[in-house]
Amino acid sequence: MRFLRLLSFFLLLISLASFTRGDRPAYRLFTATGQPADYDQMLQELAQADVVLFGEQHNDALAHWLELQVARDLLKLKKPGQLVLGMEMFERDVQPLVTQYAAGTLADTAFERQARPWPNYGTDYRPLLQLARENHLPVIGTNAPRPFAKVVAQRSLTALDKLPAVDRTLLAPLPLKVDYELPGYKNMAAMFGGSAHGGGAQNIIQAQALKDATMAHFIQASRQPGQTLLHFNGSYHSDHHDGIVAYLRQYAPKLRVRTLSVVTQEQLQTLEKEQVNIADFVVVVPADAPKTY
């Protein structure tokens, strides 16, 4: 099974290389305002940040490749002990396993059996953990455990009111304040055909806010002075400096935060209007770029 995953990954890399020939670049990089950006200059800016939120589309092969490159290149720019990786893909209750695996004291088979990795872990996220393991980088799983988010989506945040103290340590500080006027949450209300201030849509937004706040809380709590914490998350959690960023402003307003977002377009020459100001740096990939699932 692992051989097939590796073979699939190598075939993806070969297909990615074909995008770089002639006028078919693999991706284009833009500033928030839509100006062409230089990769090396972006790295210098990211290296000065306290927190970097890399917003991905979870099935985008190019995004995962670029995440690995950014992590490797930031590692070269930072002094030993100054780079930390954070990942939405692992929940707080499996943090001991993530720590053991990154330290090289837990076997691949045990980790994959116990840590509940996502189905695309082998091709998309394992390379990041391997990089951490080889370079002694701390890895922080930041997400709220799924059962808590599920119960909030069904019954609202009030379902957490009597949560035991041991479970509360896995989440952002409760009770949680939700700003329903944040653009991302208002868009969610529109998508679910309801109001952000009532009904089923409100519960969905509260579940999203629980994830955003929990990720922000553990990003802030896990980072030491002088470190850059490079965090990988779905782009909706950080687009428009929303979601995680909004809670980081609440928990630690002095943090220097930079965001990236990966978007798809039919053309790569210019940044389309709806993508302007979505993040500090916008990575545009072809609409027909390979997907991992």
Side-chain angles (χ1 to χ4, degrees), residues 40-288:
D40 290 333
Q41 290 179 353
M42 178 190 74
L43 278 177
Q44 293 292 334
E45 185 170 333
L46 299 185
Q48 300 303 311
D50 298 319
V51 176
V52 176
L53 301 176
F54 197 127
E56 65 169 40
Q57 302 299 318
H58 296 315
N59 66 346
D60 190 328
L62 272 170
H64 296 302
W65 170 80
L66 190 59
E67 286 170 346
L68 188 60
Q69 307 315 307
V70 169
R72 283 174 174 164
D73 292 336
L74 282 178
L75 182 60
K76 296 174 186 176
L77 293 176
K78 304 294 290 187
K79 294 179 181 179
Q82 288 189 338
L83 183 64
V84 179
L85 302 186
M87 303 182 73
E88 173 197 2
M89 300 79 200
F90 294 101
E91 298 161 24
R92 285 306 302 166
D93 59 316
V94 300
Q95 181 60 47
L97 299 173
V98 174
T99 299
Q100 292 173 47
Y101 185 77
T105 59
L106 184 65
D108 285 80
T109 51
F111 180 74
E112 293 183 29
R113 185 175 65 253
Q114 300 174 47
R116 304 193 304 274
W118 290 8
N120 57 327
Y121 163 77
T123 55
D124 297 346
Y125 303 113
R126 186 175 181 273
L128 288 167
L129 288 181
Q130 289 297 300
L131 177 71
R133 193 166 181 160
E134 293 164 5
N135 293 277
H136 310 290
L137 298 179
V139 180
I140 310 300
T142 59
N143 209 354
R146 295 170 216 180
F148 300 125
K150 182 177 180 179
V151 74
V152 170
Q154 293 171 340
R155 296 166 47 197
S156 86
L157 282 166
T158 59
L160 305 180
D161 286 348
K162 297 182 179 180
L163 206 62
V166 65
D167 289 337
R168 285 173 175 259
T169 65
L170 303 174
L171 302 170
L174 298 173
L176 185 66
K177 180 180 178 181
V178 181
D179 182 357
Y180 296 101
E181 296 305 310
L182 290 175
Y185 296 164
K186 292 177 74 173
N187 288 340
M188 288 183 70
M191 284 190 291
F192 286 95
S195 168
H197 299 279
Q202 185 182 61
N203 290 353
I204 297 296
I205 293 167
Q206 289 183 2
Q208 179 82 357
L210 180 67
K211 294 180 180 181
D212 289 337
T214 298
M215 286 188 269
H217 171 67
F218 286 104
I219 287 170
Q220 183 272 331
S222 303
R223 180 196 160 273
Q224 300 300 316
Q227 291 181 330
T228 294
L229 194 150
L230 174 59
H231 189 266
F232 304 104
N233 52 264
S235 61
Y236 203 86
H237 289 290
S238 54
D239 278 354
H240 300 290
H241 298 88
D242 214 339
I244 297 172
V245 184
Y247 281 102
L248 281 175
R249 290 196 193 106
Q250 184 181 139
Y251 297 144
K254 294 184 179 180
L255 283 179
R256 295 169 297 177
V257 180
R258 293 292 178 269
T259 61
L260 288 82
S261 186
V262 180
V263 303
T264 59
Q265 294 183 177
E266 293 295 336
Q267 56 82 28
L268 274 63
Q269 287 72 32
T270 60
L271 188 64
E272 293 176 358
K273 184 177 180 180
E274 60 268 25
Q275 314 295 4
V276 171
N277 291 320
I278 201 171
D280 294 310
F281 295 96
V282 184
V283 181
V284 180
V285 301
D288 58 353

